Amino acid sequence: MDATQIINIQKEAEKLIDYFSPKIISEVNNEYVKIAKIKGEDIPWHNHENEDELFYIINGNLLMEIENQPSFTMKTGDLYVVPKGVNHRVSSSDECLIMLIETKSTKHTGDVITPITKSIDNQKY
């Protein structure tokens, strides 16, 4: 990955095969820039104890659930930051393309391990 190159997000999205499987497309400072396709409800409730997590909706709608708060739907162009330590999960009834910006130490589903959990190595192209 060459951080100085121009990256076309739509072309990178065409490479995504599996839902809920983020792929690192770039990095800035100590953060990874990732994209993922979401469809269904496979992401478990989880949190990231020491890291905030930025969600940006490139295309589609994403249901964001935050523990002890009303859920809300994010739409194309929306951005939301889940603060560190906050239990959350996301889902989408139709395919949704998202961008994530996360500290390089952020675990995909926090300390919750499920069949969809991806290591950092599995998030690289």
Side-chain angles (χ1 to χ4, degrees):
M1 171 177 35
D2 179 359
T4 62
Q5 68 183 359
I6 294 173
I7 298 167
N8 183 289
I9 292 173
Q10 295 302 328
K11 286 184 180 178
E12 293 300 319
E14 291 172 8
K15 298 177 189 176
L16 296 175
I17 298 167
D18 298 321
Y19 294 117
F20 306 107
S21 186
K23 294 297 179 190
I24 299 166
I25 60 170
S26 191
E27 56 186 87
V28 59
N29 299 318
N30 195 36
E31 313 292 320
Y32 281 133
V33 178
K34 304 174 183 181
I35 58 172
K37 287 183 181 178
I38 307 296
K39 185 176 181 182
E41 301 178 349
D42 292 347
I43 295 286
W45 283 100
H46 68 282
N47 69 65
H48 308 285
E49 186 177 340
N50 299 306
E51 303 97 356
D52 297 334
E53 184 176 31
L54 182 145
F55 288 81
Y56 175 74
I57 310 305
I58 298 168
N59 190 30
N61 296 317
L62 185 76
L63 179 65
M64 176 67 71
E65 295 178 90
I66 304 292
E67 192 171 55
N68 300 319
Q69 294 184 24
S71 59
F72 55 92
T73 299
M74 298 177 64
K75 299 176 182 174
T76 300
D78 287 348
L79 182 145
Y80 182 76
V81 176
V82 177
K84 62 184 170 190
V86 172
N87 269 349
H88 63 284
R89 70 178 174 181
V90 299
S91 62
S92 183
S93 56
D94 297 315
E95 185 173 281
C96 179
L97 178 62
I98 66 173
M99 177 185 296
L100 301 161
I101 299 179
E102 304 173 325
T103 305
K104 291 180 179 179
S105 61
T106 303
K107 296 177 186 174
H108 181 217
T109 53
D111 290 331
V112 177
I113 306 299
T114 72
I116 65 146
T117 302
K118 305 293 185 275
S119 69
I120 289 295
D121 286 337
N122 287 331
Q123 294 178 52
K124 297 176 180 176
Y125 278 112

